[in-house]
Amino acid sequence: MSDAKTFDLSCGLPIENHARIKLAHGGGGRAMARLIEEVFIAAFDNPLLREGHDGAVLDLPRGRSVLTTDSFVVRPLFFPGGDIGSLAINGTVNDLAMCGAKPLYLTASFILEEGLETEILRRVVRSMRTAADAAGVAIVTGDTKVVERGRGDGIYINTAGVGCIERDMSVAPQRIAAGDAILLNGDIGRHGMAVMGAREALAFTTPIESDCASLWHTVDALLSANIDVHCLRDATRGGLSAVLNELAQASGLQFDIVEGDIPVSARVRGACEVLGLDAMQVACEGRFVALVPESAAERALAIMKSRDDAARIIGRATAGEPGLVTLHTLIGGRRILDMPAGELLPRIC
Amino acid sequence: MSDAKTFDLSCGLPIENHARIKLAHGGGGRAMARLIEEVFIAAFDNPLLREGHDGAVLDLPRGRSVLTTDSFVVRPLFFPGGDIGSLAINGTVNDLAMCGAKPLYLTASFILEEGLETEILRRVVRSMRTAADAAGVAIVTGDTKVVERGRGDGIYINTAGVGCIERDMSVAPQRIAAGDAILLNGDIGRHGMAVMGAREALAFTTPIESDCASLWHTVDALLSANIDVHCLRDATRGGLSAVLNELAQASGLQFDIVEGDIPVSARVRGACEVLGLDAMQVACEGRFVALVPESAAERALAIMKSRDDAARIIGRATAGEPGLVTLHTLIGGRRILDMPAGELLPRIC
């Protein structure tokens, strides 16, 4: 194989023809050691990772800790507003934030497909570092496996995360009470439509950008303002529909939602119409609902709005029928907002 | 498709023809909720998992914690002495144990291939529960993704683990000192040869069984006996060769190993000869080296031997050439034991 530079369309970067992932990179020998040193440690560098032991020894602050995990299989690897790397960081950071925990430490585990251009891996890993820095977390340990061509899809990433609950409070579905206001921190459906657009090369006039972002700083602002946050949940797979149904079921309450108060951008609305999708079921990666006592709702909204003007109070939890989510529609009717059945958009995260 | 029972050769169990994983099982809707309830929670059941939140809230004991992660892509999924499920538990339990940490909590994240028989998943998940019980850990949170046919290989599993260091001591490569004895807790190479045998349907007269097992109880016995363990490392990918080279490099010492003191079963030795493999480079999943001060070597050996009579003192760390591993051979010579270059046996774990 020639050493000449070529141009790889899948990531738009000049790469060396020969620099591809081989099975040997997962074998535990010299090739793997070099990959870890030159790609992973080069990007994630921190003292804990440098220890080079089987795990990272952490001095966790006193108090309760939270542990979470997520695997990421998004296709394509790069999309407007993000990539599998930023998604893998923010997804796990947000799972911690939704438990009211300050994200501290992440693991990163890769399943690479033989033949992957190493430069694509480098780009993803750099994006992980940037997202980790933005969220204030360190990647402290990891793992690499390589599977044969046709047994993977470029890169799959798992991140697990540890965070700490700094305040003597509980943020959980069990705390939702009748009368709680339901807040949403911005417009929905952008992540799913951004990935769809990139995947199907849809001719959106202007690309829709993913909302992929860390939610911790917004959550921290709510908690720091002493708002008695009852529950938080990010609207990922299954979209806002799935989240509202899950929380109504877990709390044994009815949720009454006002459709007109749910922010959906004109571009997402248009793309959903063309594709026959319901924006309520499309995944977000930077949107969450917060359930807070009615008395704190306006203060919470002001904090959310200071970060995203599209934030809204979208409804209330009531003592009606346990697990039911009703949608007061724009034309004055009322319908049941059901749990999505299955896969609307496969491999969205 | 008919509902008739069929016999699936890949796991030897009668299964329903129609019970297969679909993309919908990863979509965040009702199908995924059912899979989680009926397969994962049914097997892993514990109060933390039942919370059904985005992460598990843990009350960690005071002291230092250890965080680790590993992805598992072993092929085939089932092999003599274990399967991808027991491997995924023991692999991460052992990473914690090698840091001197008592394993406490595990996450479990699955990347499933569309079309996988649900019964195979159930069987793997039950095996995870059995291995977790044996190691004394709980699986407290998880994640499921589904990829299209031909983008995975049945089941990939990631486990991350949290453990706690109960004693005021450090177990790390930096603590290895000249004069330390190097101990090995049993015969090497069985895991790799068991997987190879199952994969290639090699006509071993008697199947070689994997050594896959939790190492925590042996480590705990060493620590509980107040042995000043300097370093621990399990011999997984790259086998004993890789581990000895990594630790010699990390400690800046020379390791002198006596070949005749390394236990290799006759069956592994025979299979390696037939296949042209070096048992020193074949992966284990229940073998580790311990570096302890010479004065504690015999006591440590007695503890290891009480669990496996094949345990041995295999050599010493010396002040010779930093990073060099020498092997005193059976015929009286001396050779350098090199780091394996790449992939001997792909997808062994």
Side-chain angles (χ1 to χ4, degrees):
Chain A
M1 203 182 263
S2 135
D3 276 358
K5 297 254 178 188
T6 181
F7 208 77
D8 177 64
L9 291 173
S10 63
C11 75
L13 288 173
I15 56 156
E16 302 291 331
N17 233 342
H18 61 279
R20 290 178 179 266
I21 296 297
K22 299 179 182 70
L23 284 173
H25 286 116
R30 279 199 302 266
M32 190 169 92
R34 233 176 5 245
L35 182 76
I36 290 172
E37 187 65 34
E38 291 175 12
V39 176
F40 297 117
I41 295 186
F44 298 154
D45 195 28
N46 62 61
L48 283 166
L49 192 62
R50 281 252 160 232
E51 293 280 327
H53 209 359
D54 279 337
V57 180
L58 313 175
D59 268 313
L60 291 178
R62 290 198 61 177
R64 288 168 299 158
S65 298
V66 176
L67 176 64
T68 186
T69 185
D70 249 326
S71 287
F72 297 86
V73 299
V74 67
R75 182 171 62 85
L77 297 175
F78 303 91
F79 47 82
D83 56 65
I84 191 170
S86 55
L87 196 59
I89 299 299
N90 289 325
T92 291
V93 160
N94 291 348
D95 279 351
L96 294 171
M98 295 301 105
C99 296
K102 178 187 171 81
L104 295 174
Y105 302 108
L106 260 53
T107 67
S109 181
F110 297 83
I111 298 177
L112 307 176
E113 187 187 11
E114 182 189 14
L116 172 75
E117 292 91 340
T118 309
E119 188 54 37
I120 293 183
L121 179 62
R122 277 186 214 277
R123 202 176 146 195
V124 165
V125 163
R126 281 194 297 262
S127 167
M128 292 177 78
R129 173 61 190 257
T130 304
D133 286 349
V137 294
I139 297 160
V140 293
T141 189
D143 179 53
T144 313
K145 294 292 190 303
V146 181
V147 295
E148 305 89 339
R149 269 174 214 273
R151 301 290 181 179
D153 200 4
I155 306 176
Y156 296 148
I157 304 176
N158 175 279
T159 49
V162 170
C164 68
I165 298 178
E166 293 175 311
R167 295 166 184 87
D168 187 22
M169 62 183 300
S170 163
V171 174
Q174 293 73 21
R175 288 203 61 219
I176 301 172
D180 278 2
I182 304 171
L183 286 85
L184 175 66
N185 74 318
D187 66 309
I188 60 169
R190 281 206 272 126
H191 174 71
M193 297 319 297
V195 172
M196 278 295 282
R199 188 184 303 170
E200 313 294 351
L202 295 177
F204 297 153
T205 327
T206 320
I208 295 171
E209 291 224 334
S210 169
D211 48 38
C212 179
S214 160
L215 296 172
W216 167 244
H217 299 297
T218 307
V219 169
D220 191 31
L222 293 171
L223 298 178
S224 298
N226 288 318
I227 288 170
D228 182 21
V229 175
H230 286 170
C231 189
L232 302 164
R233 185 69 61 102
D234 52 342
T236 57
R237 283 180 288 181
L240 189 59
S241 284
V243 168
L244 294 172
N245 274 283
E246 280 169 25
L247 294 183
Q249 277 162 32
S251 64
L253 295 170
Q254 178 172 321
F255 283 9
D256 291 326
I257 306 295
V258 181
E259 187 175 24
D261 290 339
I262 297 170
V264 186
S265 73
R267 269 189 271 167
V268 166
R269 199 181 295 279
C272 280
E273 265 173 34
V274 169
L275 297 168
L277 295 171
D278 179 354
M280 296 284 286
Q281 299 192 356
V282 176
C284 316
E285 288 291 340
R287 298 292 174 251
F288 70 103
V289 296
L291 287 99
V292 305
E294 182 58 46
S295 58
E298 286 301 330
R299 267 202 314 138
L301 181 63
I303 289 167
M304 282 187 174
K305 273 187 166 291
S306 73
R307 288 159 189 276
D308 189 331
D309 195 51
R312 293 286 182 277
I313 297 170
I314 61 166
R316 297 283 180 286
T318 71
E321 191 176 331
L324 190 74
V325 182
T326 68
L327 199 64
H328 298 264
T329 62
L330 293 169
I331 53 167
R334 210 188 78 147
R335 68 176 174 93
I336 291 170
L337 183 69
D338 214 356
M339 184 81 166
E343 185 67 90
L344 285 159
L345 304 172
R347 298 184 53 189
I348 214 72
C349 61
Chain B
M1 206 180 259
S2 133
D3 276 357
K5 297 257 178 186
T6 180
F7 205 81
D8 177 63
L9 290 173
S10 62
C11 76
L13 287 173
I15 55 157
E16 301 293 330
N17 235 341
H18 63 278
R20 288 178 181 267
I21 296 297
K22 299 178 183 70
L23 284 173
H25 286 115
R30 279 199 301 268
M32 190 169 91
R34 234 178 2 246
L35 182 76
I36 291 172
E37 188 65 33
E38 291 175 12
V39 176
F40 298 116
I41 294 186
F44 298 153
D45 195 26
N46 62 61
L48 283 166
L49 192 62
R50 281 252 160 233
E51 293 280 327
H53 208 358
D54 279 338
V57 180
L58 313 175
D59 268 313
L60 291 178
R62 290 198 59 178
R64 288 167 300 158
S65 298
V66 175
L67 176 64
T68 186
T69 185
D70 250 325
S71 288
F72 297 86
V73 299
V74 67
R75 181 171 62 84
L77 298 175
F78 303 91
F79 47 82
D83 57 65
I84 191 171
S86 55
L87 196 59
I89 299 299
N90 289 325
T92 291
V93 160
N94 291 348
D95 279 351
L96 294 171
M98 294 300 105
C99 296
K102 178 188 171 83
L104 296 173
Y105 301 108
L106 259 53
T107 67
S109 181
F110 297 82
I111 298 177
L112 307 176
E113 187 187 11
E114 182 189 15
L116 172 75
E117 292 92 338
T118 309
E119 188 53 37
I120 292 183
L121 180 62
R122 277 187 215 277
R123 201 176 148 197
V124 166
V125 163
R126 281 194 297 262
S127 167
M128 291 177 79
R129 173 61 190 257
T130 304
D133 286 349
V137 295
I139 298 159
V140 294
T141 188
D143 180 51
T144 313
K145 295 292 189 304
V146 181
V147 296
E148 305 89 336
R149 267 175 215 271
R151 301 290 182 180
D153 200 4
I155 306 176
Y156 296 148
I157 304 177
N158 176 280
T159 49
V162 170
C164 69
I165 297 179
E166 294 176 311
R167 295 168 184 86
D168 186 21
M169 63 183 300
S170 162
V171 175
Q174 293 73 22
R175 287 203 62 219
I176 300 172
D180 278 3
I182 304 171
L183 287 84
L184 175 66
N185 73 319
D187 65 309
I188 60 169
R190 282 205 273 126
H191 175 70
M193 296 319 298
V195 172
M196 277 295 281
R199 189 185 301 170
E200 313 294 350
L202 294 177
F204 297 154
T205 328
T206 319
I208 295 170
E209 291 224 334
S210 169
D211 48 37
C212 180
S214 160
L215 296 173
W216 167 244
H217 299 296
T218 307
V219 170
D220 192 30
L222 292 172
L223 298 177
S224 297
N226 287 318
I227 288 171
D228 181 21
V229 174
H230 286 170
C231 189
L232 301 163
R233 186 68 62 98
D234 53 341
T236 57
R237 284 180 287 180
L240 188 59
S241 284
V243 167
L244 293 173
N245 273 283
E246 280 168 25
L247 294 183
Q249 276 162 34
S251 63
L253 296 171
Q254 178 172 321
F255 283 9
D256 291 326
I257 307 295
V258 180
E259 188 175 24
D261 290 339
I262 297 170
V264 186
S265 74
R267 269 189 272 167
V268 167
R269 199 181 294 278
C272 280
E273 265 173 33
V274 168
L275 297 168
L277 294 171
D278 179 354
M280 295 285 287
Q281 300 193 355
V282 176
C284 316
E285 286 292 341
R287 297 294 173 251
F288 70 104
V289 297
L291 286 98
V292 305
E294 181 60 46
S295 58
E298 287 300 330
R299 269 203 311 140
L301 181 63
I303 290 168
M304 282 188 174
K305 272 185 167 292
S306 73
R307 287 158 191 276
D308 189 331
D309 195 50
R312 293 286 182 278
I313 297 171
I314 61 166
R316 297 282 180 288
T318 71
E321 191 176 331
L324 189 75
V325 182
T326 68
L327 199 64
H328 298 264
T329 62
L330 294 170
I331 52 167
R334 212 187 78 147
R335 68 176 174 94
I336 291 169
L337 183 69
D338 215 355
M339 183 82 166
E343 184 67 270
L344 285 159
L345 304 172
R347 296 183 54 189
I348 215 73
C349 61

